[in-house]
Amino acid sequence: MMEHPKVLLVDDEIDFVLPLKDGLEAQGYTVFIAGDGITALEIARREIPQLILLDLTLPKLDGHGVLKSLKSEEKFRRVPVLVITAQEEIQKLAPTLEEGADSYYVKPLKFDVLLTLIRTLLNSRR
């Protein structure tokens, strides 16, 4: 039996995180949640997810710091990172691509579009 892909969802907005977690789990993903950058690094190192969904605005360590830290480690170089951000943060997206993010998605969330992007990123790494 094939293992469910592990997804690390990093966002401090609980009203955004919980429905997304439920939706992804209904699609067969195993979802881990981190509400701040430090916790995100701890969970990533413990679980080694196949995909990371990363908000930029986080407490303790922002998304840029998380991304730089993860991409500096060999085991995360091929793990796709999808930055999920709010419209007002769009000017911060270009640096994230240079830092190693694979793609980005601008809120508000349309689950079917996000799911297609997730599947595309996961398939590109097989």
Side-chain angles (χ1 to χ4, degrees):
M1 186 173 161
M2 195 174 138
E3 184 182 327
H4 297 290
K6 292 181 188 177
V7 175
L8 174 56
L9 174 53
V10 186
D11 197 306
D12 61 334
E13 292 180 42
I14 199 73
D15 292 340
F16 173 76
V17 168
L18 293 180
L20 181 53
K21 179 181 188 290
D22 291 345
L24 290 172
E25 287 177 341
Q27 295 293 317
Y29 296 95
T30 301
V31 181
F32 299 92
I33 294 176
D36 65 75
I38 300 298
T39 304
L41 292 175
E42 291 169 357
I43 293 172
R45 290 176 179 134
R46 183 181 68 232
E47 298 297 335
I48 316 294
Q50 279 82 40
L51 175 73
I52 299 169
L53 304 177
L54 179 64
D55 185 26
L56 293 179
T57 309
L58 298 168
K60 299 184 184 176
L61 179 65
D62 71 7
H64 295 282
V66 171
L67 186 58
K68 285 178 193 172
S69 183
L70 289 175
K71 292 301 181 172
S72 72
E73 297 179 38
E74 183 63 37
K75 64 186 166 201
F76 294 111
R77 294 225 174 100
R78 294 195 39 79
V79 174
V81 176
L82 174 60
V83 171
I84 299 180
T85 189
Q87 186 69 34
E88 60 268 10
E89 297 170 333
I90 204 158
Q91 70 278 4
K92 298 177 185 174
L93 291 174
T96 65
L97 297 173
E98 293 167 7
E99 293 162 358
D102 294 88
S103 191
Y104 61 88
Y105 186 94
V106 179
K107 296 174 186 174
L109 178 71
K110 288 187 173 40
F111 185 73
D112 57 334
V113 175
L114 181 62
L115 195 57
T116 299
L117 189 51
I118 287 170
R119 288 178 177 149
T120 300
L121 287 170
L122 286 170
N123 287 334
S124 73
R125 297 302 165 108
R126 288 204 174 123

